[in-house]
């Protein structure tokens, strides 16, 4: 009998003596051709496996087993870094990590992080992908289920969902569906997203706005091509990004916030031009900050000096540049309870590698805990918690 094996988010391709499974258009793993041939003869057609086999149930069971194994070996196609697929049956909670999942900081702004990874290489990046050994990608439906659970607990209207990843959200192929599902939740009023805008097209802008995205936060750091490319540390079509900003503005000035990073000594003279592009839309100039595991091309200027700079620029341009939570209607809100406090010594189970080489992610009481010194750790370990703020947990193996 003929059995067609197809999945919404996986497409199959022939690759020499293997079959390549491509997930979410950005990740892949390999299935050995002889393993499929043991089920029956097959062909690949339009991203599907068409098997000639005796038992449909056995065929599906064996294919599903191969896919489960494949997910444990999955890598990102652009850099071949190991990628952990976080789904509802993975045993990995969506609360606890600052890299992926959901972050609730006790306000009406909730952060959503569906994946890690970026398509450019900014010199100021607080993450520095070269130091990160592992990528993470979250199942859309799992994210929605856990977000809905959090919103029911918070029991408050007027929630803003902010898609702010360690990278570029447009790399997440089910992004429009994720936004559409979040917009359908009755507590949600606003959905915003950070983006470098290089992957945007007019069609994509329309698709995301139609799905329910409220605001693009575009990290435009220069109008001059040479300076923009120096900051991005790669080819960077700044004219395209500016065109996308103008197109978004044509849909309504509230649909965009331009958010440059001030890199003192590098792009100071670019701010006037960026402010002009922002026009009647909001602009939020950010101060570059040094991070231990990020890129640090310059030394950060102190916050008092930065605020004086913004005040002077406000007087010069007549544009409001100093923003706070009131500009986004962000209010204090009930925070998800924390099962631990800083300094607690607990038992936790290692479940996956972490982003940095020596890190591992462990699980306890429905929370992820990033263990900073657990490179060779397995199974259940004793951990002393060094951070528990906002349900983001870090610890050290004892």
């Amino acid at each position: 009998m003929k059995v067609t094996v197809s999945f919404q988010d996986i497409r199959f391709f022939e690759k020499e003596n293997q079959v390549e499974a491509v997930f979410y258009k950005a990740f892949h793993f390999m299935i050995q051709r002889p393993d499929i041939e043991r089920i029956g003869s097959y062909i690949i057609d339009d991203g599907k496996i068409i098997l000639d086999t005796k038992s449909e149930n056995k065929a599906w069971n064996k294919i599903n087993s191969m896919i489960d194994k494949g997910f444990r070996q999955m890598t990102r196609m652009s850099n071949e870094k190991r990628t952990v697929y976080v789904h509802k049956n993975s045993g990995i909670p969506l609360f606890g990590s600052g890299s992926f999942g959901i972050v609730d900081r006790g306000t009406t702004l909730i952060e959503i992080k569906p994946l890690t990874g970026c398509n450019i290489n900014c010199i100021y990046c607080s993450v520095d992908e070269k130091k990160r050994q592992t990528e993470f990608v979250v199942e859309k439906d799992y994210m929605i289920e856990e977000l809905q659970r959090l919103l029911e607990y918070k029991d408050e209207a007027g929630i803003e969902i902010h898609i702010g990843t360690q990278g570029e959200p447009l790399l997440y192929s089910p992004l429009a569906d994720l936004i559409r599902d979040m917009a359908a939740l009755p507590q949600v009023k606003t959905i915003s997203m950070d983006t470098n805008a290089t992957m945007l097209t007019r069609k994509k802008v329309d698709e995301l706005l139609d799905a329910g995205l409220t605001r693009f936060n575009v990290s435009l750091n220069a109008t001059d091509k040479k300076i923009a490319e120096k900051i991005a540390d790669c080819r960077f079509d700044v004219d395209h990004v500016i065109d996308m900003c103008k197109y978004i503005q044509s849909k309504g000035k509230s649909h965009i916030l331009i958010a440059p990073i001030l890199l003192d000594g590098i792009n100071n003279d670019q701010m006037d031009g960026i402010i002009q592009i922002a026009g009647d839309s909001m602009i939020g100039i950010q101060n570059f900050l040094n991070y231990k595991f990020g890129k640090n091309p310059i030394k950060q200027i102190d916050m008092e000096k930065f605020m004086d700079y913004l005040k002077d620029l406000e007087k010069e341009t007549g544009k409001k540049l100093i923003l706070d939570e009131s500009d986004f209607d962000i209010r204090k809100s009930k925070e998800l309870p924390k099962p631990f406090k800083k300094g607690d010594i607990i038992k936790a189970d290692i479940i996956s590698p972490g982003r940095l080489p020596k890190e591992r992610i462990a699980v306890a009481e429905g929370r992820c805990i990033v263990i900073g010194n657990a490179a060779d750790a397995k199974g259940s370990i004793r951990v002393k918690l060094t951070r528990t703020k906002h349900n983001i947990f870090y610890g050290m193996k004892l």
Side-chain angles (χ1 to χ4, degrees), residues 246-313:
K246 292 178 178 178
Y247 184 70
I248 297 167
Q249 287 169 324
S250 75
K251 300 294 181 176
K253 66 178 184 179
S254 65
H255 285 315
I256 186 169
L257 180 151
I258 296 181
I261 296 278
L262 176 67
L263 296 158
D264 192 35
I266 297 176
N267 66 345
N268 306 60
D269 64 351
Q270 298 295 296
M271 293 301 142
D272 284 346
I274 295 170
I275 290 169
Q276 289 178 19
I277 290 168
D280 293 335
S281 300
M282 295 179 73
I283 180 168
I285 300 174
Q286 304 166 77
N287 189 18
F288 167 77
L289 301 176
N290 295 121
Y291 288 94
K292 180 179 179 181
F293 295 110
K295 297 180 182 179
N296 295 295
I298 60 172
K299 185 176 180 180
Q300 70 185 57
I301 59 177
D302 66 59
M303 193 55 66
E304 184 177 352
K305 181 180 177 182
F306 175 68
M307 295 305 292
D308 288 341
Y309 169 82
L310 290 185
K311 289 173 184 176
D312 290 342
L313 202 54

Side-chain angles (χ1 to χ4, degrees), residues 7 83 85 96 101 116 130 152 164 180 195 220 229 236 239 273 280 291-292 297 300 352 355 360 376:
F7 299 88
T83 300
Y85 179 34
T116 59
K130 290 182 180 179
E152 288 171 355
R180 188 173 294 108
T195 179
L220 175 64
E229 290 194 339
F236 188 90
D239 292 334
D280 293 335
Y291 288 94
K292 180 179 179 181
Q300 70 185 57
S352 88
R355 289 279 274 148
R360 292 293 180 269
D376 301 319

Side-chain angles (χ1 to χ4, degrees), residues 115-231:
L115 87 171
T116 59
C118 196
N119 64 318
I120 61 177
N121 192 36
C122 293
I123 61 172
Y124 63 84
C125 183
S126 63
V127 176
D128 191 355
E129 285 295 330
K130 290 182 180 179
K131 295 178 182 177
R132 314 286 159 160
Q133 68 171 7
T134 308
E135 305 275 17
F136 288 84
V137 59
V138 180
E139 178 191 15
K140 175 187 73 71
D141 290 345
Y142 185 32
M143 185 76 85
I144 293 297
E145 287 178 12
E146 292 298 279
L147 175 61
Q148 188 170 16
R149 183 168 70 90
L150 173 61
L151 293 180
E152 288 171 355
Y153 170 79
K154 291 178 85 71
D155 190 26
E156 186 161 354
I159 296 289
E160 176 172 345
I161 305 298
H162 179 64
I163 307 170
T165 69
Q166 287 190 347
E168 174 52 56
L170 288 167
L171 291 169
Y172 189 68
S173 67
L175 180 61
D177 290 333
L178 176 68
I179 291 170
R180 188 173 294 108
D181 289 350
M182 293 192 299
L185 298 173
Q187 301 93 334
V188 174
K189 177 184 178 183
T190 303
I191 302 174
S192 58
M193 180 184 78
D194 292 339
T195 179
N196 58 48
T198 57
M199 297 176 65
L200 281 178
T201 62
R202 295 188 175 206
K203 181 179 179 181
K204 178 61 72 173
V205 168
D206 291 343
E207 178 188 23
L208 296 179
L209 290 175
D210 289 345
L213 186 69
T214 309
R215 187 179 68 248
F216 293 86
N217 296 349
V218 179
S219 54
L220 175 64
N221 298 306
T223 57
D224 179 86
K225 181 177 177 63
K226 288 184 178 180
I227 297 175
E229 290 194 339
K230 177 180 179 179
I231 293 171

